[in-house]
Amino acid sequence: DTGVSQDPRHKITKRGQNVTFRCDPISEHNRLYWYRQTLGQGPEFLTYFQNEAQLEKSRLLSDRFSAERPKGSFSTLEIQRTEQGDSAMYLCASSSDPNGYGYTFGSGTRLTVV
Amino acid sequence: AQSVTQLGSHVSVSEGALVLLRCNYSSSVPPYLFWYVQYPNQGLQLLLKYTSAATLVKGINGFEAEFKKSETSFHLTKPSAHMSDAAEYFCAVTPGGDSSYKLIFGSGTRLLVRP
């Protein structure tokens, strides 16, 4: 198993464009998480999937953000009409444990909105 | 609500010196506590975790942390710093209850190791 994979590693986009990120979790992990990390801050929780069901969305996830996990495998995070404030590192993690430990993080997608 | 506070956004030590990174938490329930390390342009790697077993927790790369309920602290230490320890370190806590799957992170401490 190669761990949690995220694609792309870096994305530069113009304000107003749509972007989509992909996360491939560890295959036996049924839980998947998205976090956002802005410069100089710790990661902040965005959303959580158990299998294909999205069980929690943070209020940080505005209407311009949507996440999916079809068939409980990979996940996508889409940001529509990007704004400069969306510039951040978007981290994906997966786990098989319900208690916050056993997370494996991916290397993240760094988004820059110009 | 649960939160963590990391004192000192930057800590600088000499190679071979003691490393001490501070973390205080607020939690209304017994917490699960974690320390993660992040190298530049990388994701987070778990160093160690406290899950209400032993109060002194040993992790990878020679790091350890002690849970002190009376001080609501979970400070990270390493007896002798190595150049490869230079990175950003995050303390995290889980809310517990129905949201125990979620990690709440501190703002991080960047460790600089001087030769």
Side-chain angles (χ1 to χ4, degrees):
Chain A
D1 196 333
T2 57
V4 177
S5 299
Q6 290 190 247
D7 184 70
R9 291 293 309 275
H10 303 274
K11 177 72 176 178
I12 300 174
T13 191
K14 292 183 178 179
R15 190 171 48 190
Q17 297 293 305
N18 298 344
V19 294
T20 300
F21 311 139
R22 178 181 170 121
C23 171
D24 287 90
I26 292 174
S27 56
E28 59 265 31
H29 286 178
N30 62 341
R31 291 172 167 81
L32 185 145
Y33 316 83
W34 285 97
Y35 284 75
R36 181 171 70 186
Q37 184 179 18
T38 53
L39 203 60
Q41 298 298 317
E44 296 174 290
F45 173 83
L46 290 180
T47 191
Y48 160 55
F49 290 85
Q50 186 170 328
N51 300 311
E52 67 276 11
Q54 188 174 21
L55 297 185
E56 185 176 348
K57 290 174 58 174
S58 163
R59 63 179 183 277
L60 294 175
L61 222 59
S62 74
D63 291 344
R64 296 184 297 105
F65 288 71
S66 62
E68 295 182 342
R69 193 184 181 197
K71 303 180 182 177
S73 56
F74 72 92
S75 176
T76 59
L77 178 68
E78 182 184 14
I79 308 175
Q80 296 182 328
R81 305 180 303 282
T82 51
E83 302 172 357
Q84 285 190 321
D86 297 330
S87 295
M89 174 80 89
Y90 290 84
L91 293 164
C92 177
S94 68
S95 76
S96 56
D97 189 280
N99 289 315
Y101 46 91
Y103 269 49
T104 300
F105 279 90
S107 296
T109 294
R110 181 167 296 283
L111 173 67
T112 303
V113 182
V114 296
Chain B
Q2 280 76 11
S3 65
V4 290
T5 301
Q6 292 185 242
L7 297 177
S9 59
H10 292 79
V11 169
S12 180
V13 300
S14 298
E15 192 174 19
L18 171 72
V19 176
L20 171 60
L21 304 182
R22 300 178 186 274
C23 172
N24 288 87
Y25 68 91
S26 67
S27 175
S28 57
V29 298
Y32 292 158
L33 290 158
F34 309 83
W35 276 99
Y36 282 85
V37 62
Q38 186 176 36
Y39 296 99
N41 297 314
Q42 297 293 319
L44 285 84
Q45 181 183 7
L46 180 67
L47 279 176
L48 49 81
K49 60 191 178 194
Y50 167 76
T51 57
S52 74
T55 56
L56 183 62
V57 182
K58 294 188 183 299
I60 63 171
N61 301 339
F63 284 94
E64 62 182 37
E66 186 173 7
F67 173 71
K68 291 187 176 180
K69 185 177 179 181
S70 61
E71 298 177 7
T72 61
S73 69
F74 190 57
H75 301 333
L76 181 71
T77 61
K78 182 174 180 177
S80 177
H82 192 274
M83 295 298 290
S84 61
D85 295 326
E88 187 136 27
Y89 293 79
F90 293 94
C91 183
V93 66
T94 57
D98 292 341
S99 295
S100 60
Y101 52 82
K102 189 186 310 185
L103 291 173
I104 298 170
F105 288 89
S107 56
T109 297
R110 183 168 298 279
L111 177 65
L112 307 170
V113 182
R114 304 185 302 272

